Amino acid sequence: MSILPLDDNMTQEPTRRARLVVGPADAASITETVCAITERPRPPAAWYAAFAMSAAATGMLFAAIGYLIATGVGVLGNNSPVFWAWPIVNFVFWIGIGHAGTLISAILFLFRQRWRTGINRFAEAMTVFAVACAGIFPAVHVGRVWVVYWLAPYPNQMGVWPNFRSPLLWDVVAISTYGTVSVLFWYLGMIPDLATLRDRAISWWRRIVYGLFALGWRGSAAQWHRFEWAYLLLAALATPLVLSVHSVVSFDFAVSQLPGWHSTIFPPYFVAGAIFSGCAMVVTLAVPARSLFGLKSLITMRHLDNMNRLILGTSLLVAYAYLIELFMAWYGGNQYEAFAQLNRALGPYAWAYWLMVACNVLAPQLFWFPKCRTTPWLMWVIAVLVNVGMWLERFVIIVASLGRDFLPSSWGMFRPTAVDVMMLAGSFGLFCTLFLLFCRYLPMVAMAEVKGVVPPHLGSNGVQ
Amino acid sequence: MLQPEHHHDDSPPVVGILAEFDGPVTLKAAATGLRQVGYAKFEAYSPYPVHGLYEVMGRKRTTLPRLVLAGGITGCLVALLLQWWTNAIDYPYWISGKPLFSLPANIPITFELLILLGALAAFGGVMVFCNLPQLYHPIFGCVKFRQSSTDTFFLAVDADDPRFDETATADLLRSLGAESSELYRQPRTVKRIPGMIPATAALVAALALLPPLWIAQVRYARKTSPRIHPILDMDFQPKYLPQQYSPLFKDTRDMRPRVAGAVSVDAIIGHVHLLRGEVDSPPADTFPMPVTSEMMLRGRRRYDIFCTTCHGLAGDGDGITSQLAFEREEPKWVKPLSLHDQPVLGQPVGQLYQTITHGIRTMPSYRSQIPVEDRWAIVLYVRALQRSRNATMDDVPGELKKHLKSIEQSDAGIPNAKP
Amino acid sequence: MPEYPTPNLDNDQVRLVGLPRGTSGVLMLIGLVALAIAVALGWRRDDQLRAFSASYLVNYTFFLSIALGALFFVALQHLVRAGWSVTVRRSAEILATGVVYLAVLFLPILAIMLLGWTSPYFKWLDPQTIADSHLAREKLVYLNLPFFTVRAVFYFLVWGLLARFFFKQSTSQDTSGDPMLTRHMEKAAPVAMILFGLTITFASFDWLMSLEPAWFSTIFGVYFFAGAVVGALAALILLALALQAGGVVRRAITVEHYHDLGKLLLGFVVFWGYIAFSQYMLVWYANIPEETVWYLARQTGPWTWVSVGLLFGHLLIPFLGLLPRVVKRRKMLLGVWATWMLVAHWVDIYWLVMPTFAPRHLPFGLLDICCLAAVGCMFFAGVIRTARRCALIPLKDPRLGESLTFENF
Amino acid sequence: MPTTQPPFPEWVNRARPYAGALLIVVPAYLVFLIYAAGSPQTTDVGYSPRQPVAYSHQVHAGQMGLDCRYCHTTVETAAFAAVPPTSVCMNCHATIGSERETIKPLQFSMKTGKPVPWVRVHDLPDYVYFDHRAHVGRDVGCVSCHGRIDRMEQVYQAKTLSMGWCLECHRDPAPQLRPEGSITNMAWQPDEDARALGRRLMEENNISPSTDCSTCHR
């Protein structure tokens, strides 16, 4: 059998496994590739441009929040009957984005998918930042942001406790747990790489800063042994956690009796949708990041191909849920439910519905073709479309159902205000800002993990 | 690279020998070899985990999984207890007809806390078991060791291993496949915590005492300044509550006084007896309502509140106000009338009512303080007070008469008793 | 350069040799006798075979779910190009082909419906129900005998073709050793998954959910799927244990395979619990009468204890039981838990079907055992017939070496 | 062997226990500080605004023993315990102490019809619905919420009036109840066990306070 060329790992031959890293795969060059990004004095010019834009958008986000807090929730478009609108759409959207990180870092880890090592670090970072963005929306839309701590169960001088049977409180607990565990997982995995940055540091401040965060990691056998167990256990805990988080988000809707919301398939359907949108966001970020930072040897075309397959698969799962909901709306014989589904497709928000179907169901079907799975610009476009589609999905579920419920006399439309739009755009700014800072200052690829799954550890020339 | 074999006494102590290996396989073999020879205090370093290495070094498997399990179980129990106690016991929530403690709705939070405490146990456990953070370690003093996190594998044998010998151990390591081996020493760094740090800490601690002291002072002092409520929320709403300020009217009252000269409809269309105490214009001699014992009791209670201050508990005109006024020699004070004096005794009830309503001489009107029914009740009680001074045996009801007589007789039996 | 050492299974027995030649025939006979006894028991009750029909449906669905779960397992391994599972995949392929025999065993159900004996068997066949319920009337477009039959034929066609496809391709590789066959199966896997997902969903709607024509739940297909995979994984573990006890594939299936199967079983036990909880919680919380009625039947009388039993027996106890690493790496222990899960899965199916027929009492009895024996023996008669014709592991699978050498962390 | 300065000196390790302690002490300190500072015991209790007239409850209610209802006439019939109009003061002070400096504002008010700007001491937030009638009429004594007014030269807030404090009594009213005749009696003490008496009163007068949100927030 022939040895695969060093720069190609797209083999589909069943007789061999594709390389995880193309080009030189020794530990030194992997370290060099990843560390050089943070060590060079200046990032690429594109980084500055992107940072300036996203920082400006972040500023806009905080300005909008400041205005919202100073003036009151009346500045949002939420109003009778669509009381839950834009902020919740954005919340569900962002928390969904976060799910791919845990999928890649925890679930694929449990499934021994070694290719995950190329992208898990920045998918995890994406999770943390997306959860941060998601958390903003429910917090600021409550009206009195300053008493948001009332959601926490602490002994207080009012003598009351939160209502633990409310899905909204489950949300609070689930999201904060998810945020905490994601950060722990991300940070734990990063400790050995931070130690690498510390050891390579030339300036004293880099040694001190990276040294502090590396916690004095030495890579001794005892440390690695416990590290691996902790990592495995965290993965085992994060896997059901990620399922539970979006399930809990879906409970917000599904425990109610509103047509279009009350459907038993919501939990797995929301989880699938979340992973779907998250994977699309990974591709959206990975395509530019790998070329901008010279990571094509570590985040290979194979990685993107795999991610696109995941997008296709989860797209089909989401399509399955759409189909079953439609079927059951008819089969169940509940006229309100049937109307809710019809209203989505033919009502005033039909544009959103059909755009959603086009983006979530039709566009990913292009990934059946290998050419589409491996053409960066094309997959980037599809991934962006999926992100748009998944945002619209939440919009359709929330706004279309609330706008037209049981009583025709209480029907109404939702129109976003400028503050709404600024907050959505600003949340992208915050997300990108955090991500750009991460790219600049932290190891974007899990070096120690990649080294552990490529030769010489596996004892054969770059193939495993 | 080369360390002189002879060293002066002031050179730092040897920590151990650091040997370099070219890969995980040789490292693992060497670790196995060291262990077989009988070395116990040595450590292996690698840029990524080498499976099986820890085991061949003869170390015990970590108990982290059990710790995580314990964390998970704790989270589970804490969540269940918390939800049960808070929502079913301490602050019962009655939600959509479900039982106060309804398990299905408690599952999500139970699950999340299970995961959270499990994850915290995993992270905390790895920190504790790995002895992290441990920012200083003598091995960081070796220049070569900096390569260990990139691509180089090391074995470090501690100098305090009983078998340690500078040359023999180095030879052994080389025979086990080490590419090189060197002694490494304690780096020269500051061992004692610099005095500035505890001094600063003490200063900060002292300053930190000030806020609690200030809070304690505020907590136990009377404050004339307005309450400190940083966030007013809806404490003050734009609505009018009784007796509050309103800029709308000149007199700044939000409650509007009755328009001057307004006449109650009741007074026009009837109820003259009740409201004015009149029957065909002269003061009434009868009560406008049936006289009951409840009314009498009510009258007594109201009398005690409003009348005793001047007229005294028994109506003798010796109320506390009067006493004080005389004590202080108030020039304008006039002793209130005794209700047992002739002019009052002879007045019809309607006139007594009118007196309460409109006042008389120095006595002010009590119209605004005492409602109509209560005024009549007071009149009734005043009548009872007056009667009590002039009662005869005929006034006593039958049952009580016997009782009184028995008291009288027993009193009579006592020699010194005066009737 | 080969990635993995060439497998050396020269000394391993990979053919089903332990069983005497007539085993299939004997099993078939036992099955027929059991079926006859069951029918007789059903007759005696003088209820137009109603009790028999219900019991037969339970046991039929039980074995069908195992075959379908196995089909899913096979398709999944190809979909993700798994290496570890190669040696246990053949067992799953053989189990999956059992769906062809199950197609024949579906005929009694269809026959009973066509004869119109036990009309309330599926209530939507009952003219009285149709007359009484506008919901049932509205659903006649979907729930009517001709369309029902057409759909059933379609499901079996899809499953049979898929199972035969994977089995044929895989066994022909045993002789040809052509790695491109693996590639073919990998390319077919996503299509197979789509077809499988839709057919198992609608089959579960048709055969289980429509027992209560007014009731519906969008997650029902996923629920049935989750149970089916649990059943299939438990069956695969037990099959591997049985084969090894019979002296075959002793080296091909290692403790690592058991460990992985155990992990998957644990995973799907949790997944089943997740789906079951999602369905229950949403119905319980919203408290809409048309939905709660289904759970009400399962939460009153003796069925309460079956429901509680499922919560503990199908989720909590096996979760704790399968959690320790050591359990998944000891054949005996894993065998115990696989048996446990198989029983729990049977109870799950029983719990799905029976409350419709016997809302007030637990009708469990000899009839169920006879039906279990009947469907089981005939199913395994077919499976053994298939198994005799091929090797018990894919002998020339390109990833066999990987499967034999992989290690769990 | 070539050596180098490690990134951190050895004393950093020795400082670990102290740093660890700080990680516990600092959050605990901050929590304590916020809890103590934000407590209504700190922010509200002891509030004693200077009044436009140096009216002494100690003299009137304590020394003279005026009944509370002589001035606060509405407590039994309305939600709001009215501050008396100037005319009530003038019942006595038309003749008593009329030349005193402290009475001047009353005379001014009487003359001009402008209300005396009394400062409210016991002021609940506007989203709280509190009904004096429901409490006074249900055997809750004045002293339970206002403290020993009869000993206050200048009235101050004696209780927190926080929601938890309200709930405490709504959940367990028995110890706060007293016979009808002793509602305004600041010094009243039960002859028997207060809880037993309270329980009896609860039964006699059908007292079962609600703890629904809408009891106070309507």
Side-chain angles (χ1 to χ4, degrees):
Chain A
M1 279 180 236
S2 62
I3 295 168
L4 279 171
L6 280 180
D7 56 350
D8 176 29
N9 66 345
M10 293 304 291
T11 179
Q12 309 285 1
E13 282 175 52
T15 47
R16 66 176 97 208
R17 294 290 187 191
R19 296 169 59 95
L20 294 172
V21 174
V22 295
D26 58 295
S29 43
I30 291 171
T31 309
E32 186 59 34
T33 312
V34 178
C35 292
I37 298 169
T38 75
E39 285 166 355
R40 63 177 161 184
R42 281 178 193 289
W47 186 92
Y48 282 109
F51 188 79
M53 278 198 302
S54 48
T58 310
M60 185 173 73
L61 172 72
F62 287 112
I65 292 175
Y67 176 63
L68 166 73
I69 293 173
T71 316
V73 281
V75 302
L76 300 178
N78 304 9
N79 211 337
S80 175
V82 191
F83 288 112
W84 261 18
W86 202 269
I88 299 296
V89 174
N90 296 336
F91 158 69
V92 181
F93 171 76
W94 278 117
I95 202 75
I97 294 292
H99 279 51
T102 319
L103 172 94
I104 290 166
S105 47
I107 301 183
L108 295 188
F109 178 75
L110 295 183
F111 284 133
R112 292 198 292 267
Q113 297 296 306
R114 294 200 170 104
W115 60 275
R116 72 181 258 292
T117 54
I119 50 172
N120 72 330
R121 172 66 44 72
F122 92 75
E124 286 164 25
M126 192 194 80
T127 293
V128 173
F129 305 148
V131 172
C133 286
I136 289 176
F137 288 98
V140 299
H141 98 301
V142 293
R144 291 196 278 154
V145 182
W146 45 90
V147 289
V148 86
Y149 62 89
W150 283 1
L151 288 162
Y154 66 101
N156 58 69
Q157 290 160 355
M158 291 171 287
V160 289
W161 294 95
N163 174 14
F164 286 110
R165 282 175 288 167
S166 160
L168 302 183
L169 200 75
W170 306 344
D171 254 0
V172 174
V173 178
I175 302 299
S176 42
T177 301
Y178 188 47
T180 311
V181 175
S182 296
V183 169
L184 290 182
F185 200 42
W186 183 49
Y187 179 58
L188 181 69
M190 207 151 47
I191 289 175
D193 292 350
L194 290 169
T196 310
L197 282 171
R198 172 199 64 202
D199 292 346
R200 286 170 56 98
I202 297 164
S203 63
W204 67 269
W205 69 268
R206 283 182 72 94
R207 289 195 84 188
I208 297 293
V209 173
Y210 286 115
L212 272 176
F213 283 103
L215 303 178
W217 176 265
R218 301 192 305 282
S220 69
Q223 285 180 338
W224 278 122
H225 171 74
R226 283 142 192 164
F227 174 89
E228 284 206 283
W229 266 106
Y231 200 81
L232 176 72
L233 290 163
L234 275 177
L237 289 167
T239 299
L241 173 66
V242 73
L243 290 190
S244 81
V245 169
H246 228 62
S247 299
V248 163
V249 171
S250 83
F251 288 158
D252 291 350
F253 308 100
V255 296
S256 75
Q257 296 162 349
L258 192 74
W261 283 12
H262 179 66
S263 173
T264 48
I265 206 171
F266 258 42
Y269 154 42
F270 264 52
V271 173
I275 291 171
F276 178 45
S277 64
C279 288
M281 190 58 100
V282 169
V283 172
T284 315
L285 295 176
V287 168
R290 71 194 272 273
S291 60
L292 193 61
F293 295 108
L295 287 170
K296 284 183 179 171
S297 60
L298 294 174
I299 304 173
T300 64
M301 192 49 80
R302 180 107 193 165
H303 288 89
L304 298 176
D305 183 59
N306 282 342
M307 287 310 296
N308 293 334
R309 285 166 195 263
L310 271 175
I311 293 175
L312 176 59
T314 42
S315 158
L316 291 170
L317 287 179
V318 169
Y320 170 90
Y322 294 166
L323 174 80
I324 298 299
E325 271 208 294
L326 277 175
F327 172 77
M328 216 51 94
W330 169 77
Y331 175 90
N334 181 328
Q335 53 183 333
Y336 295 104
E337 187 65 38
F339 172 78
Q341 297 294 338
L342 274 182
N343 179 48
R344 283 179 188 177
L346 306 172
Y349 295 107
W351 59 270
Y353 180 80
W354 292 111
L355 206 53
M356 166 195 103
V357 171
C359 291
N360 289 353
V361 181
L362 301 181
Q365 302 309 316
L366 286 172
F367 284 149
W368 285 103
F369 307 105
K371 184 79 188 154
C372 296
R373 292 201 301 268
T374 51
T375 311
W377 71 266
L378 193 56
M379 69 175 85
W380 191 83
V381 169
I382 297 173
V384 169
L385 284 180
V386 169
N387 281 321
V388 171
M390 283 310 292
W391 188 90
L392 284 171
E393 180 193 294
R394 281 65 177 250
F395 181 83
V396 167
I397 291 176
I398 293 167
V399 174
S401 288
L402 276 176
R404 305 241 151 146
D405 63 359
F406 299 96
L407 265 183
S409 60
S410 71
W411 288 358
M413 294 287 289
F414 167 78
R415 269 187 194 78
T417 61
V419 176
D420 279 323
V421 177
M422 278 165 69
M423 282 186 64
L424 175 61
S427 67
F428 277 94
L430 176 63
F431 180 75
C432 292
T433 307
L434 292 170
F435 190 76
L436 287 165
L437 288 173
F438 159 74
C439 290
R440 175 75 184 103
Y441 294 107
L442 291 172
M444 271 174 79
V445 174
M447 294 180 278
E449 289 191 63
V450 176
K451 289 176 202 168
V453 294
V454 296
H457 179 50
L458 288 170
S460 64
N461 66 348
V463 181
Q464 76 87 27
Chain B
M1 192 90 189
L2 287 170
Q3 179 76 20
E5 284 301 311
H6 62 279
H7 36 264
H8 307 291
D9 288 338
D10 66 334
S11 68
V14 171
V15 181
I17 293 182
L18 189 67
E20 183 186 331
F21 292 84
D22 68 348
V25 182
T26 42
L27 179 72
K28 202 163 148 182
T32 317
L34 266 185
R35 168 127 175 89
Q36 277 166 355
V37 172
Y39 281 87
K41 293 186 172 175
F42 65 95
E43 189 52 274
Y45 297 98
S46 57
Y48 53 83
V50 178
H51 287 170
L53 176 61
Y54 186 71
E55 283 76 7
V56 300
M57 287 164 69
R59 309 283 160 86
K60 263 194 198 157
R61 225 180 145 93
T62 181
T63 51
L64 200 57
R66 263 173 272 169
L67 187 71
V68 171
L69 185 68
I73 292 172
T74 312
C76 195
L77 293 179
V78 164
L80 281 175
L81 268 175
L82 179 75
Q83 295 180 84
W84 164 74
W85 186 76
T86 55
N87 280 182
I89 306 296
D90 192 49
Y91 192 76
Y93 270 107
W94 191 256
I95 304 286
S96 61
K98 305 278 198 301
L100 286 177
F101 184 59
S102 35
L103 206 54
N106 295 139
I107 296 295
I109 287 184
T110 309
F111 178 80
E112 300 300 334
L113 246 66
L114 184 158
I115 298 286
L116 181 65
L117 266 67
L120 289 175
F123 188 82
V126 77
M127 288 295 122
V128 171
F129 293 156
C130 288
N131 192 19
L132 293 179
Q134 186 184 11
L135 295 177
Y136 168 83
H137 191 276
I139 207 161
F140 287 135
C142 310
V143 171
K144 256 199 163 179
F145 187 74
R146 289 196 187 169
Q147 275 296 311
S148 79
S149 62
T150 299
D151 62 353
T152 313
F153 299 78
F154 290 103
L155 266 182
V157 183
D158 282 3
D160 47 2
D161 189 286
R163 288 174 181 271
F164 183 81
D165 177 88
E166 290 186 10
T167 44
T169 307
D171 290 344
L172 174 65
L173 283 165
R174 223 158 285 140
S175 73
L176 287 169
E179 296 195 325
S180 67
S181 73
E182 291 130 6
L183 279 180
Y184 73 103
R185 296 169 179 280
Q186 193 82 45
R188 291 176 199 272
T189 67
V190 184
K191 285 186 181 170
R192 284 259 187 89
I193 296 177
M196 203 185 70
I197 291 177
T200 317
L203 184 68
V204 170
L207 289 176
L209 281 176
L210 295 179
L213 284 175
W214 179 68
I215 290 170
Q217 193 271 329
V218 173
R219 202 177 171 90
Y220 297 107
R222 302 272 156 79
K223 291 145 286 207
T224 51
S225 54
R227 293 186 184 89
I228 319 147
H229 279 192
I231 295 159
L232 286 174
D233 288 326
M234 294 163 80
D235 282 12
F236 301 102
Q237 298 169 3
K239 65 181 180 189
Y240 291 127
L241 294 165
Q243 294 195 328
Q244 285 194 343
Y245 172 84
S246 159
L248 269 180
F249 303 98
K250 244 187 195 160
D251 62 2
T252 68
R253 280 184 254 222
D254 68 339
M255 288 164 74
R256 303 313 303 144
R258 198 174 289 171
V259 178
V263 178
S264 140
V265 173
D266 283 345
I268 298 167
I269 60 167
H271 308 300
V272 177
H273 190 176
L274 176 71
L275 295 175
R276 293 202 229 155
E278 290 174 357
V279 175
D280 303 333
S281 77
D285 211 9
T286 53
F287 287 90
M289 68 276 282
V291 170
T292 61
S293 57
E294 281 87 47
M295 186 175 163
M296 182 67 83
L297 193 63
R298 176 82 185 166
R300 177 183 172 179
R301 293 224 166 119
R302 297 291 112 174
Y303 179 91
D304 287 351
I305 295 171
F306 295 105
C307 312
T308 45
T309 50
C310 294
H311 291 290
L313 276 167
D316 294 312
D318 57 350
I320 181 83
T321 315
S322 188
Q323 290 175 25
L324 280 173
F326 283 121
E327 249 171 54
R328 293 183 186 175
E329 298 175 351
E330 289 286 345
K332 290 189 198 163
W333 185 256
V334 181
K335 185 181 186 289
L337 269 191
S338 165
L339 301 178
H340 305 290
D341 286 354
Q342 198 37 247
V344 187
L345 272 177
Q347 281 171 3
V349 290
Q351 195 177 345
L352 289 175
Y353 172 84
Q354 285 167 352
T355 307
I356 298 175
T357 308
H358 304 298
I360 189 166
R361 290 185 295 277
T362 51
M363 174 174 163
S365 155
Y366 274 82
R367 181 163 52 187
S368 66
Q369 274 164 282
I370 310 173
V372 170
E373 280 78 8
D374 283 356
R375 285 179 227 154
W376 283 111
I378 289 172
V379 171
L380 179 64
Y381 181 61
V382 168
R383 270 281 178 266
L385 277 179
Q386 292 170 335
R387 185 80 168 272
S388 66
R389 295 283 169 93
N390 303 300
T392 62
M393 207 35 127
D394 299 338
D395 295 329
V396 182
E399 276 304 303
L400 276 174
K401 222 181 258 180
K402 275 184 208 158
H403 183 61
L404 279 177
K405 278 201 174 134
S406 71
I407 295 171
E408 198 179 32
Q409 276 160 10
S410 65
D411 281 354
I414 300 165
N416 287 345
K418 285 214 104 191
Chain C
M1 192 202 289
E3 297 169 44
Y4 296 96
T6 322
N8 178 12
L9 294 169
D10 295 345
N11 301 326
D12 209 4
Q13 179 53 259
V14 294
R15 297 258 163 200
L16 193 55
V17 290
L19 290 175
R21 281 209 64 79
T23 315
S24 266
V26 173
L27 274 177
M28 197 70 198
L29 207 64
I30 298 174
L32 284 172
V33 171
L35 187 66
I37 296 173
V39 172
L41 285 169
W43 268 129
R44 235 189 289 137
R45 298 185 180 196
D46 192 29
D47 58 359
Q48 281 198 322
L49 279 179
R50 186 179 149 85
F52 166 79
S53 307
S55 181
Y56 188 82
L57 184 64
V58 170
N59 292 294
Y60 177 78
T61 317
F62 174 67
F63 286 104
L64 179 72
S65 69
I66 290 172
L68 291 179
L71 178 58
F72 167 77
F73 182 83
V74 174
L76 181 70
Q77 304 313 314
H78 288 304
L79 186 72
V80 300
R81 303 179 181 178
W84 70 273
S85 58
V86 169
T87 57
V88 289
R89 204 186 64 224
R90 179 57 53 80
S91 312
E93 286 163 358
I94 293 170
L95 268 184
T97 54
V99 82
V100 179
Y101 307 102
L102 285 167
V104 180
L105 288 172
F106 189 68
L107 293 178
I109 295 178
L110 215 53
I112 288 171
M113 291 170 77
L114 284 166
L115 286 171
W117 274 351
T118 51
S119 44
Y121 184 12
F122 284 101
K123 285 177 187 163
W124 44 268
L125 280 175
D126 177 25
Q128 193 56 46
T129 313
I130 296 168
D132 290 347
S133 152
H134 78 278
L135 277 177
R137 267 200 307 285
E138 276 180 19
K139 288 175 187 175
L140 277 180
V141 187
Y142 184 78
L143 297 176
N144 60 68
L145 196 49
F147 192 24
F148 178 89
T149 315
V150 168
R151 288 198 304 269
V153 170
F154 174 71
Y155 302 149
F156 282 115
L157 216 59
V158 168
W159 297 335
L161 285 174
L162 287 179
R164 295 300 299 178
F165 168 78
F166 285 118
F167 181 72
K168 282 268 188 213
Q169 297 271 312
S170 183
T171 46
S172 68
Q173 197 179 45
D174 286 356
T175 47
S176 74
D178 180 8
M180 285 324 280
L181 289 172
T182 301
R183 185 84 194 104
H184 285 160
M185 289 190 276
E186 282 169 5
K187 283 190 163 176
V191 183
M193 274 298 191
I194 294 172
L195 287 171
F196 172 82
L198 291 175
T199 47
I200 194 174
T201 302
F202 282 93
S204 70
F205 290 171
D206 283 2
W207 301 344
L208 298 174
M209 201 171 82
S210 81
L211 287 169
E212 293 285 357
W215 187 76
F216 60 90
S217 168
T218 43
I219 208 175
F220 196 82
V222 187
Y223 180 89
F224 180 67
F225 158 77
V229 179
V230 168
L233 287 170
L236 274 180
I237 291 168
L238 289 175
L239 205 59
L241 287 171
L243 289 175
Q244 292 200 319
V248 286
V249 293
R250 296 197 85 128
R251 289 172 65 182
I253 298 179
T254 67
V255 66
E256 304 297 337
H257 294 109
Y258 284 111
H259 190 172
D260 266 2
L261 283 172
K263 283 194 279 189
L264 268 181
L265 182 61
L266 173 64
F268 271 92
V269 163
V270 176
F271 182 70
W272 176 91
Y274 163 62
I275 297 297
F277 173 72
S278 296
Q279 175 169 275
Y280 179 74
M281 223 277 290
L282 293 177
V283 171
W284 171 84
Y285 205 114
N287 215 1
I288 301 174
E290 66 203 50
E291 292 180 350
T292 47
V293 65
W294 194 80
Y295 277 109
L296 188 67
R298 284 154 182 80
Q299 248 177 282
T300 39
W303 289 107
T304 316
W305 300 109
V306 182
S307 303
V308 173
L310 274 178
L311 170 63
F312 283 90
H314 204 307
L315 179 64
L316 299 179
I317 297 172
F319 170 74
L320 291 175
L322 282 164
L323 200 55
R325 182 182 158 93
V326 63
V327 170
K328 286 167 283 201
R329 294 181 76 86
R330 293 247 175 89
K331 288 186 185 179
M332 269 307 293
L333 286 173
L334 189 62
V336 168
W337 283 110
T339 315
W340 174 292
M341 281 326 297
L342 216 50
V343 173
H345 176 52
W346 188 86
V347 175
D348 183 27
I349 303 276
Y350 191 75
W351 174 87
L352 283 177
V353 173
M354 273 303 174
T356 303
F357 293 91
R360 301 260 171 273
H361 67 285
L362 282 179
F364 182 76
L366 191 58
L367 180 59
D368 298 296
I369 292 167
C370 285
C371 280
L372 181 72
V375 184
C377 287
M378 290 193 268
F379 174 70
F380 277 108
V383 166
I384 288 169
R385 232 171 67 86
T386 313
R388 275 189 196 289
R389 297 206 304 260
C390 61
L392 294 172
I393 55 165
L395 290 171
K396 291 185 179 168
D397 191 289
R399 300 198 180 106
L400 186 59
E402 190 181 339
S403 177
L404 288 170
T405 47
F406 88 97
E407 274 177 32
N408 275 289
F409 167 61
Chain D
M1 152 160 217
T3 54
T4 173
Q5 203 62 25
F8 296 94
E10 192 171 350
W11 66 263
V12 172
N13 278 4
R14 297 194 180 186
R16 278 195 304 182
Y18 306 106
L22 273 187
L23 275 183
I24 299 166
V25 170
V26 170
Y29 173 78
L30 288 177
V31 166
F32 165 78
L33 213 60
I34 292 167
Y35 188 87
S39 156
Q41 187 71 40
T42 311
T43 57
D44 288 22
V45 172
Y47 175 54
S48 179
R50 214 159 267 134
Q51 300 288 357
V53 177
Y55 174 83
S56 165
H57 275 85
Q58 193 197 353
V59 169
H60 291 83
Q63 200 180 332
M64 294 174 63
L66 283 189
D67 193 284
C68 306
R69 291 164 291 189
Y70 184 88
C71 302
H72 304 290
T73 49
T74 61
V75 284
E76 290 174 312
T77 49
F80 186 70
V83 176
T86 312
S87 67
V88 172
C89 309
M90 288 320 233
N91 282 355
C92 305
H93 288 292
T95 47
I96 298 179
S98 51
E99 68 293 333
R100 262 183 260 158
E101 206 43 49
T102 45
I103 303 299
K104 290 278 159 19
L106 294 175
Q107 289 162 344
F108 175 76
S109 162
M110 207 61 197
K111 214 183 289 168
T112 58
K114 286 216 169 125
V116 178
W118 297 105
V119 183
R120 238 179 124 177
V121 179
H122 296 87
D123 194 5
L124 293 174
D126 284 359
Y127 50 79
V128 178
Y129 178 87
F130 177 84
D131 194 332
H132 271 91
R133 169 181 46 190
H135 291 82
V136 175
R138 283 274 194 266
D139 302 346
V140 181
C142 307
V143 72
S144 289
C145 304
H146 296 285
R148 289 303 295 265
I149 292 278
D150 61 332
R151 290 178 182 167
M152 295 180 193
E153 187 59 36
Q154 180 170 293
V155 174
Y156 59 89
Q157 182 173 333
K159 303 289 164 94
T160 61
L161 305 191
S162 71
M163 177 167 159
W165 174 84
C166 292
L167 273 171
E168 219 170 87
C169 181
H170 269 241
R171 283 171 186 156
D172 178 25
Q176 306 294 342
L177 300 181
R178 44 179 64 200
E180 195 193 339
S182 310
I183 301 294
T184 55
N185 186 348
M186 297 276 155
W188 178 84
Q189 289 296 327
D191 306 331
E192 51 182 319
D193 178 35
R195 187 171 285 280
L197 170 70
R199 258 194 230 116
R200 207 175 58 240
L201 287 168
M202 280 173 76
E203 203 157 303
E204 278 170 17
N205 300 330
N206 195 18
I207 296 170
S208 55
S210 155
T211 49
D212 285 342
C213 307
S214 63
T215 308
C216 308
H217 307 293
R218 9 181 109 176

